[in-house]
Amino acid sequence: MEMDALLTLVVLVGAVALFVTEKLPVDVVAMLVLASLLVLGLVTPAEALSGFSSEATITVAAMFVLSAGLAHTGALLSIGRLFGRVKRPWLFMLLIMFVVGPISAFVNNTAAVAVFLPLVLAATAANRSSPSQVLIPLSYAAQMGGVCTLIGTSTNLLVNSLAKDLGHPGFGLFDFAPLGLVTMAAGFVYLMVFRRWLLPHHPPSGITETYELGKYITELRVMPDSPLIGKSVATSQLAEKHSVYVLELLRGEDKHWAPRAELLREGDVLLVRGDWEKLKLLKDSAKLELEPEFKLQDSQFTGEDGDAAQVLVEAMVAPGARLIGLSLRELDFQWNYNATVLAVHRRGEVLREKIKDVSLNVGDVLLLLCPRAELAAIRANQNLVVLNERGEANPPRSKALLAIGIMAAAIGAAALGWLPIVASSILGGIALVATRCIGNDQAYQAVDWRVIVLLAGVLPLGIAMQKSGLAQGVADFSVNWVGGFGPLAVLAAVYLITALMTELMSNNAAAVLITPIAYSTALSMDVSPTPFLVAVLFAASTSFATPVGYQTNTMVYNAGNYRFVDFMKMGIPLNLLFWGMAVYFIPRFFPF
C-alpha cells in the first residue's frame, strides 16, 4: 500500500473510532479529520475547504431555513392538530405515519419530528394512551419518508454531491420515489402489525412520578430556634454547604420563588430540592421541621394564578442546539430563562447528583420550573422543544399558506428542471425572509451548524480516499472477497456494511466513508455505480436499531421512556426487512 493510502487509512480509522466512541462532538471530529488531511498533505487547501462550498452543504443549510419557515408560520402545526381528534389507537397510528412520512419527504425529518413530537404527546395524554406505542413509529416514519426524495435528508444530498464529484451525473429530485414508496409502505405495514408486541406499553404518568420528584423535593418550616432566622438564603449558603436548593419561600399567603435576598423569619416554609440524606442533615442542623402532609403533585405548579403562577415544563434539547456540550452551571437557566432546572432525564435515567455540572446532550429532557409568563419565550427558543404545557402554544399562522407556497415553488422549480436544487432552495430561503415568514435571526438559528460543519469537514476525507487509491484498494479487496458471487451479492454487502456503520456513528459520516468505496467497487466490476450509490443512501438514511444512530431516534428516546433494547427489538427486524427489499428492488429500479 502506498504511503498516502496508508496515511489516509490511519485518518479513517481514527475518525471511525472517535465517531463510534463519541469522545468528541461529531463536528469537532470532522474538523480534526480536515486538519489531519491538510497537515499530512493528503489534500490541497482548496480540496480541504471545498466542503464549505459544496452543493450538498449549501443546499442542506437552505433546506433548514425552508423547514423552519413552515414550522414558524404554523403550517405544520395546523396539520398536527388533527392528531387530537382521533381516538382509536390504530387509526391514530395510521394518521401519524401518513402525515409524518410524506411531509418528511420535503421537510427535514428532524424538524418534522420536533414539530409533531409535542402534538403526539398531547394527543396521547388526552386519550390516556401510551406514548411509547407511537413515538418510535413517529421517528421511523420520518426516516422512511426522508428517502423518498433527494431533499428528504442531508444524507441524500451528501451522497448525491459525492457521486457528482466522482463523475456520476447525479440524481433527480424524485428518482428515489418508487423505491422509497415501496419500502415506506412495507415499513408502515410492519409498524401497524408488530408494534403492539414489540414496543413497551407505558401508561401515561404525571411529571412528578416520571422524575420521582416527591423523594427529592419537600417543605421545611423555620422553627423559633433556627439559626437561619435573620439570614437570607444566599448568606446561609444552603446550596454551597448542604447541596440543598431553595425553590420557593412561603410566608403566609405570599410566595417568593427562587428567593435569595429575602431574610428568613420564624414560621417561613421553604420548598427545597436535594438528596434525601442531605435534606435530613439540614433539617436537624438548621432547626427546621418537615411538613408531614407535604406531597409534591403536578397540580401545585399549575394553579390559576395568572402569569405569575409557576408551572412544570418538560423541554428537550433540540438537535443542533447551542446548549449541547455546556453544563447547566455555564448556562445559568435562572438568569437566562427565569427558570429552575429540577431534573435531567437522559436515556432512561434521571440525573440528580450535581445537576449543575451535567453537560447537555441532544435529546436530554430538562424539567423546568418557571413562571407561566415565560412559556412563550421558552417555546420560541430554537434550542429547546417544549414537550408539555402544549395547549397554550399558538404561533402566528397568518403566513402559513405563503410559506407552503414558497416551499412548493422551490421544490417545483427543481423538479421541473428550471433551476438546480441548490439555487431553488437558496431562493426559497430568501423569499421566506423577504416576506417576513421567518426573521433574519431565526433563519440563522434554524440552520443546524453542527451538521453543516460535519458535512464540510468529512467531505475532504472522501476526496483523500479517492486520490490516495485507498477507495480503489478497498474496492479491489471487496471484489476479490464477494465479487465472485455477482454484483447483487456485492450490493447486499455494501448495504449491510453501511447500515451497521450508521447504527454506530453519524449517518453522514458513514455515507462519506462508504460512497467512494461503493463507486470504485462498481467500476472494478464494470457495472453501473448507480445501484450501489442508492444502497449507500438508503442504508445511511434509515437507522432503526439504536437510539443513537439517527437524531430522530434520540429525540423520542427519553420522551417515550424507552430502553435501548426497545429500539433493537423493533428496529433490527425492520432493518433486515429494508435490507432484503433493497437488494430485491434496487436492481429493478436502477439496473446494473
Side-chain angles (χ1 to χ4, degrees):
M1 183 180 293
E2 295 183 2
M3 181 56 67
D4 282 358
L6 182 60
L7 290 174
T8 304
L9 180 61
V10 171
V11 175
L12 173 62
V13 172
V16 171
L18 288 173
F19 279 128
V20 171
T21 58
E22 297 181 327
K23 294 290 186 182
L24 295 171
V26 292
D27 51 332
V28 175
V29 175
M31 287 295 98
L32 283 175
V33 168
L34 186 153
S36 299
L37 295 173
L38 194 56
V39 170
L40 294 173
L42 298 172
V43 293
T44 65
E47 290 169 337
L49 299 177
S50 63
F52 289 98
S53 60
S54 165
E55 178 180 328
T57 306
I58 303 302
T59 306
V60 169
M63 292 308 300
F64 276 126
V65 177
L66 286 172
S67 299
L70 293 180
H72 179 71
T73 57
L76 298 181
L77 194 60
S78 300
I79 300 172
R81 298 292 188 192
L82 296 172
F83 293 158
R85 302 176 185 177
V86 179
K87 305 301 180 183
R88 295 184 180 181
W90 69 269
L91 189 58
F92 178 58
M93 178 71 197
L94 200 63
L95 179 64
I96 289 175
M97 292 190 297
F98 275 96
V99 168
V100 175
I103 285 177
S104 296
F106 303 101
V107 176
N108 178 272
N109 49 23
T110 303
V113 171
V115 170
F116 289 119
L117 178 57
L119 299 172
V120 171
L121 287 173
T124 55
N127 297 333
R128 300 297 297 171
S129 58
S130 173
S132 58
Q133 282 281 300
V134 295
L135 291 187
I136 279 181
L138 168 68
S139 172
Y140 290 177
Q143 294 179 51
M144 294 174 195
V147 294
C148 290
T149 67
L150 180 62
I151 62 173
T153 73
S154 59
T155 308
N156 299 5
L157 292 164
L158 176 60
V159 172
N160 183 62
S161 178
L162 287 168
K164 287 183 176 181
D165 292 340
L166 293 170
H168 191 271
F171 297 97
L173 186 61
F174 294 108
D175 284 358
F176 311 130
L179 179 60
L181 291 173
V182 169
T183 54
M184 184 165 64
F188 283 4
V189 172
Y190 170 84
L191 293 174
M192 289 294 295
V193 173
F194 292 104
R195 69 182 178 91
R196 66 175 64 185
W197 293 290
L198 297 179
L199 289 177
H201 191 283
H202 300 310
S205 59
I207 292 176
T208 52
E209 294 172 349
T210 300
Y211 292 87
E212 303 175 18
L213 291 178
K215 300 177 183 177
Y216 294 86
I217 297 182
T218 190
E219 286 181 349
L220 296 174
R221 183 179 296 275
V222 179
M223 303 307 291
D225 55 343
S226 172
L228 299 182
I229 295 176
K231 296 182 179 179
S232 68
V233 172
T235 56
S236 299
Q237 295 188 309
L238 301 183
E240 292 79 359
K241 293 182 178 179
H242 301 276
S243 296
V244 173
Y245 302 88
V246 178
L247 306 177
E248 177 193 30
L249 169 62
L250 300 172
R251 180 174 293 156
E253 297 297 323
D254 297 329
K255 295 181 179 181
H256 304 273
W257 290 92
R260 289 189 58 80
E262 192 73 25
L263 298 181
L264 299 179
R265 305 176 188 173
E266 175 186 345
D268 285 350
V269 176
L270 303 176
L271 178 68
V272 295
R273 174 177 64 83
D275 180 82
W276 186 244
E277 293 299 322
K278 294 174 181 177
L279 287 172
K280 288 196 296 184
L281 288 175
L282 173 64
K283 167 184 170 294
D284 295 334
S285 63
K287 306 295 183 182
L288 305 173
E289 180 179 328
L290 183 67
E291 291 289 277
E293 300 300 324
F294 175 78
K295 181 179 179 182
L296 183 69
Q297 298 176 352
D298 293 357
S299 59
Q300 291 182 247
F301 299 97
T302 55
E304 300 298 330
D305 297 328
D307 288 344
Q310 298 289 318
V311 292
L312 286 174
V313 179
E314 287 178 288
M316 184 184 69
V317 178
R322 297 178 182 177
L323 315 180
I324 297 170
L326 298 177
S327 69
L328 296 174
R329 187 185 306 278
E330 292 171 315
L331 292 169
D332 194 355
F333 267 74
Q334 184 66 46
W335 175 261
N336 291 307
Y337 301 93
N338 196 19
T340 301
V341 180
L342 300 182
V344 179
H345 197 258
R346 173 182 297 168
R347 298 184 183 179
E349 61 176 335
V350 179
L351 309 177
R352 303 181 186 88
E353 288 298 323
K354 298 181 179 178
I355 191 172
K356 286 189 176 294
D357 296 324
V358 172
S359 294
L360 298 179
N361 292 335
V362 174
D364 284 352
V365 178
L366 310 179
L367 182 62
L368 305 176
L369 182 63
C370 70
R372 189 183 300 275
E374 296 294 327
L375 280 175
I378 293 177
R379 284 197 191 95
N381 193 308
Q382 300 285 339
N383 298 303
L384 300 171
V385 178
V386 175
L387 301 181
N388 74 324
E389 290 292 343
R390 295 169 291 273
E392 298 176 23
N394 188 29
R397 282 174 276 171
S398 58
K399 297 190 176 181
L401 290 178
L402 180 58
I404 293 173
I406 291 172
M407 171 66 90
I411 295 171
L416 295 172
W418 296 346
L419 290 172
I421 184 62
V422 62
S424 66
S425 58
I426 290 174
L427 289 174
I430 294 173
L432 286 173
V433 175
T435 56
R436 300 185 183 276
C437 289
I438 185 172
N440 193 45
D441 290 340
Q442 291 171 325
Y444 281 105
Q445 293 172 3
V447 178
D448 188 342
W449 294 105
R450 285 177 173 80
V451 172
I452 301 303
V453 172
L454 170 65
L455 295 179
V458 297
L459 275 169
L461 182 57
I463 297 174
M465 290 174 65
Q466 197 70 22
K467 281 182 58 179
S468 66
L470 178 62
Q472 187 62 49
V474 176
D476 292 341
F477 175 79
S478 302
V479 170
N480 292 332
W481 182 43
V482 294
F485 298 99
L488 191 63
V490 178
L491 179 73
V494 167
Y495 189 104
L496 182 60
I497 292 171
T498 307
L500 290 174
M501 292 185 68
T502 299
E503 298 294 353
L504 299 174
M505 57 192 289
S506 162
N507 55 312
N508 287 319
V512 167
L513 300 183
I514 302 298
T515 296
I517 296 172
Y519 191 88
S520 297
T521 300
L523 296 182
S524 296
M525 299 180 67
D526 198 25
V527 296
S528 171
T530 300
F532 295 88
L533 295 172
V534 174
V536 173
L537 183 147
F538 264 71
S541 297
T542 51
S543 171
F544 304 128
T546 70
V548 296
Y550 207 86
Q551 286 185 327
T552 58
N553 290 351
T554 305
M555 293 170 71
V556 302
Y557 189 10
N558 291 329
N561 197 23
Y562 293 115
R563 297 176 300 160
F564 197 99
V565 71
D566 293 328
F567 285 85
M568 297 179 67
K569 288 193 300 184
M570 194 72 183
I572 290 177
L574 187 55
N575 271 341
L576 293 175
L577 173 64
F578 268 51
W579 181 36
M581 293 189 67
V583 172
Y584 179 81
F585 282 107
I586 286 177
R588 283 158 177 77
F589 292 120
F590 306 94
F592 291 114

